[in-house]
Amino acid sequence: MKVGNMTIPFSRYGSYLVISPIYTRGSDQNALYIRHIRGGDEKESALFKMEMVRDHQVIDYEVEWAPHLLKLVPMDGSSDSIECCFSSDKTIRIRGKALGLKLTAITGAYDYALPFPDQSWEKNSFVQQRRFRMIPLEGTMKVDAPFEVDKSKHITVCCEPDSSSQIFDIAISEYQLVFEKENSLEMSFTENVEQVADEFKQWQEKTLKVPTSFHKGHDMASYITWSCVVKPEGLLTRPAMYMSKNWMTNIWSWDHCFNAMALFEQLPDLAWDQYCIFFDQQDESGALPDFLNDQWALWNCCKPPIHGWTLRWMMARSPFIDNEKLQEVYEPLSRWTNWWFSYRDDDQDGIAQYNHGNDSGWDNSTVFSKGIPVETPDLSAFLIVQMDVLAMIAERLDKADEALEWKKRADETFLKMIDHFWTKKGFRACHSYSHKPIEEKSLLLYIPLILGERLTDQQRKILLEGLQQFQTEFGFATESVDSPYYREDGYWRGPIWAPSTMLLIDGLQSCGENELARKTAEKFCIMANQSGMAENFNAITGKGLRDPAFTWTSSVFLIAGNIINEAANRSVSR
């Protein structure tokens, strides 16, 4: 079967259902599965393995994919096919012509299936904590689910076409307790497909515009961002754009910021939901969880405080964030800022620390290779920007004394940052307490470019010169290619990432280096347009690495492409 080239999961806006291969170690990546992704990436997601049947024999097929329709085509050269679409965010509809379909359930403890008088069947999945109703609409559906002791021994569903029309048509709908048949199933399969196509078209029309040479990437990025949104449920108090529907099926507390930025111009309400969703789960101490899904949050680590930087970026681009919205985020952002100084400054020197690489977002960066906790200049830069933004918000909300206090704290932290980290060659990191220098060749040490005019001309010059050691044909590697620790697929020890690229694009713009920022954006777009919206990229070849369908990569691609467009428009207007 040729499904290995299907790197982008088939889903739709709002849905927790997915059709895709399973890209985990030991899994059969040449098979398609119907999956359910509530509960995040630690839970088994597979519901049914899908197999094509002709004359009672399983046959091979290949996949043709579009945002609104997934087609399984037999490899025997016939024009027959099995087609899949989403009739709603809760229901997958599958139609076959002159072919059969076999669904083999992935079962766990106590899972069972039972029939209903209308010929439908219910699969009750204890692992998924959901029920799944299988509804025959045309043709025949036969279910084999022998019950033994306390569960069905196995569950297989065989769909065969009607003898006259040569069509089978079934729906699989998910629910928690009570099944209610949807009106969408009164529509034809073709009408369901057309409805989804129209919804995606409306979304794509509201995505940021990029140069026409990047239309392939624009199609991918538009679809990935659209299809990775899940509806509010449980801990997800707002619509949430997951990082992926492959296996990174959560939202992380810095990833969501880049997705908010890409949505902000055309879909500001949804962007605001992405920005605020972690504040809805903020701990009373001020901390934000590392990640969220509908069922649980992880508190073992956190992510860097880029939320002030994100807010600054969005406010510079639209008046949408009015005083009412600033009032909504002022206290949560204040508590998040204070948390770092209260609970991540163990030596009480006024410089916050990371207790683990995961806290920085740069999980295995060489900055953390010689022990923890570590004080780094990027963290101080984020907090300085955040306090500057809080000062601006306080002033707009007529909190004059608080505005002065935030400004004072930002200035004081900047002076301490320079004293701690600045050398004749640029910034370094250091161990907390001992302040023993850490002088690795990590791109993380150049993120303070986001401070812009706070840096002197000489400091900006030194940083810009040092930045060149990370430059490749496709952008800035996260570890210098000359470093003995550089690895082509080393996660944060070499590959190019969307967030580091976006932070540096903004940092370069803040330092007046607009042409270098534009070139950096262009390199990233060329790479992603060619290699897909991967989690990260080989810095030398530009090949996509790890999860092949990531939303923050898609969002940064859209932002970067829009920067190129805006630069071209300014050039024409001159």
Side-chain angles (χ1 to χ4, degrees):
M1 269 175 286
K2 292 186 177 179
V3 302
N5 62 341
M6 184 183 167
T7 57
I8 302 176
F10 183 66
S11 189
R12 67 166 288 171
Y13 185 99
S15 184
Y16 288 90
L17 292 172
V18 184
I19 300 177
S20 75
I22 298 177
Y23 293 103
T24 55
R25 188 175 298 171
S27 65
D28 180 8
Q29 297 182 10
N30 286 315
L32 284 184
Y33 290 83
I34 298 174
R35 299 169 48 231
H36 171 260
I37 59 170
R38 283 182 177 84
D41 54 8
E42 298 297 320
K43 181 180 284 189
E44 170 63 61
S45 68
L47 293 174
F48 296 99
K49 181 179 179 179
M50 302 176 68
E51 294 178 292
M52 181 179 285
V53 176
R54 191 194 294 280
D55 298 327
H56 306 292
Q57 297 293 318
V58 172
I59 63 172
D60 289 342
Y61 61 88
E62 56 188 352
V63 173
E64 296 178 3
W65 175 96
H68 53 283
L69 183 68
L70 184 69
K71 183 180 288 189
L72 283 55
V73 180
M75 296 178 68
D76 59 11
S78 72
S79 60
D80 307 326
S81 66
I82 293 174
E83 298 174 316
C84 311
C85 77
F86 281 80
S87 60
S88 74
D89 59 34
K90 297 191 295 185
T91 302
I92 293 174
R93 193 161 173 178
I94 306 174
R95 180 180 69 175
K97 177 184 177 184
L99 292 164
L101 174 70
K102 179 181 179 182
L103 300 174
T104 303
I106 313 303
T107 58
Y110 305 117
D111 287 9
Y112 64 85
L114 56 82
F116 288 84
D118 64 356
Q119 308 303 310
S120 69
W121 281 71
E122 177 185 89
K123 176 183 184 285
N124 191 345
S125 173
F126 284 69
V127 171
Q128 302 292 344
Q129 300 174 311
R130 306 295 286 184
R131 291 172 166 86
F132 300 89
R133 185 67 65 102
M134 297 163 284
I135 310 160
L137 302 171
E138 187 173 358
T140 60
M141 184 183 79
K142 297 178 181 178
V143 179
D144 182 27
F147 192 85
E148 287 190 356
V149 185
D150 59 4
K151 62 176 289 186
S152 290
K153 184 178 179 181
H154 60 258
I155 303 171
T156 57
V157 182
C158 293
C159 303
E160 293 291 337
D162 177 81
S163 58
S164 299
S165 67
Q166 287 297 294
I167 297 293
F168 80 80
D169 190 353
I170 67 164
I172 300 174
S173 189
E174 59 97 347
Y175 54 103
Q176 186 172 41
L177 192 59
V178 177
F179 172 69
E180 296 180 1
K181 191 172 181 179
E182 298 175 340
N183 291 333
S184 63
L185 295 182
E186 301 299 324
M187 301 165 62
S188 70
F189 183 92
T190 300
E191 288 172 327
N192 286 161
V193 171
E194 290 172 348
Q195 185 177 57
V196 178
D198 184 60
E199 288 179 21
F200 174 67
K201 180 182 177 183
Q202 292 179 47
W203 173 277
Q204 188 167 24
E205 288 173 349
K206 292 182 178 180
T207 57
L208 292 171
K209 299 300 180 284
V210 305
T212 55
S213 57
F214 299 140
H215 68 88
K216 175 185 173 184
H218 190 265
D219 288 347
M220 280 190 288
S222 299
Y223 175 75
I224 291 169
T225 52
W226 173 76
S227 65
C228 280
V229 176
V230 295
K231 60 189 174 185
E233 191 171 303
L235 294 180
L236 300 177
T237 52
R238 307 165 189 253
M241 186 180 290
Y242 273 8
M243 289 309 99
S244 172
K245 285 187 177 176
N246 271 323
W247 58 84
M248 304 286 274
T249 50
N250 304 299
I251 50 172
W252 276 261
S253 57
W254 72 318
D255 308 40
H256 70 118
C257 290
F258 298 97
N259 290 337
M261 291 162 64
L263 295 169
F264 187 65
E265 182 177 317
Q266 295 291 334
L267 295 164
D269 289 313
L270 184 59
W272 191 245
D273 283 336
Q274 304 317 297
Y275 181 77
C276 291
I277 193 166
F278 274 89
F279 290 127
D280 293 346
Q281 301 300 330
Q282 188 171 29
D283 184 71
E284 61 182 15
S285 69
L288 300 180
D290 179 46
F291 69 71
L292 278 175
N293 57 58
D294 61 301
Q295 295 180 8
W296 63 291
L298 182 72
W299 295 94
N300 293 79
C301 50
C302 60
K303 287 295 177 278
I306 69 167
H307 304 78
W309 171 81
T310 304
L311 194 59
R312 180 182 74 174
W313 189 93
M314 293 193 297
M315 290 176 68
R317 284 158 176 79
S318 169
F320 173 80
I321 303 176
D322 55 18
N323 283 7
E324 182 180 351
K325 288 183 171 56
L326 292 178
Q327 187 69 57
E328 180 183 356
V329 297
Y330 178 68
E331 288 301 328
L333 192 61
S334 300
R335 292 166 58 208
W336 175 223
T337 306
N338 288 331
W339 180 84
W340 286 92
F341 292 104
S342 298
Y343 301 102
R344 286 296 183 271
D345 183 16
D346 292 350
D347 60 5
Q348 294 293 295
D349 61 358
I351 294 294
Q353 72 205 34
Y354 290 130
N355 285 351
H356 190 279
N358 287 4
D359 293 343
S360 74
W362 297 53
D363 305 5
N364 66 333
S365 166
T366 51
V367 166
F368 305 99
S369 62
K370 293 182 173 63
I372 52 174
V374 173
E375 297 174 355
T376 64
D378 69 304
L379 177 53
S380 290
F382 291 141
L383 289 168
I384 290 164
V385 170
Q386 198 145 289
M387 289 186 285
D388 279 339
V389 170
L390 283 164
M392 176 179 61
I393 297 173
E395 187 171 345
R396 279 184 53 172
L397 298 179
D398 296 324
K399 301 176 184 286
D401 291 344
E402 293 181 30
L404 289 173
E405 181 62 21
W406 285 120
K407 181 66 168 62
K408 177 184 176 184
R409 288 178 63 183
D411 292 343
E412 290 174 347
T413 303
F414 177 73
L415 293 175
K416 290 176 182 178
M417 172 187 174
I418 297 300
D419 184 58
H420 258 69
F421 303 123
W422 185 255
T423 73
K424 292 180 180 179
K425 297 180 181 179
F427 286 111
R428 60 171 172 81
C430 66
H431 291 281
S432 189
Y433 291 102
S434 71
H435 296 145
K436 182 179 178 181
I438 302 171
E439 297 182 357
E440 301 294 352
K441 294 184 177 181
S442 172
L443 186 67
L444 178 144
L445 301 175
Y446 291 80
I447 297 302
L449 283 166
I450 63 170
L451 292 172
E453 292 183 357
R454 274 193 177 270
L455 301 170
T456 66
D457 290 345
Q458 182 64 14
Q459 287 170 336
R460 291 197 293 268
K461 179 182 178 183
I462 290 171
L463 289 174
L464 291 168
E465 290 174 351
L467 192 59
Q468 297 312 305
Q469 68 181 298
F470 301 91
Q471 187 77 266
T472 75
E473 178 185 350
F474 300 100
F476 295 113
T478 45
E479 180 79 8
S480 171
V481 295
D482 297 326
S483 166
Y485 301 106
Y486 174 84
R487 299 290 184 272
E488 288 189 353
D489 186 10
Y491 223 51
W492 291 94
R493 294 191 176 197
I496 294 170
W497 286 77
S500 54
T501 299
M502 186 65 239
L503 286 161
L504 286 173
I505 288 172
D506 182 69
L508 292 168
Q509 290 175 325
S510 297
C511 292
E513 297 292 328
N514 293 315
E515 180 57 19
L516 182 54
R518 188 199 65 78
K519 288 181 178 178
T520 302
E522 187 174 47
K523 286 183 174 184
F524 186 83
C525 286
I526 290 171
M527 176 179 65
N529 189 66
Q530 176 179 325
S531 299
M533 304 298 146
E535 184 177 355
N536 54 72
F537 301 86
N538 184 311
I540 304 300
T541 67
K543 178 184 176 182
L545 302 170
R546 308 295 177 111
D547 192 317
F550 232 53
T551 55
W552 72 0
T553 308
S554 303
S555 290
V556 171
F557 169 85
L558 293 169
I559 297 167
N562 195 245
I563 288 171
I564 299 166
N565 252 3
E566 290 177 347
N569 291 338
R570 285 194 298 270
S571 179
V572 170
S573 65
R574 293 195 192 105

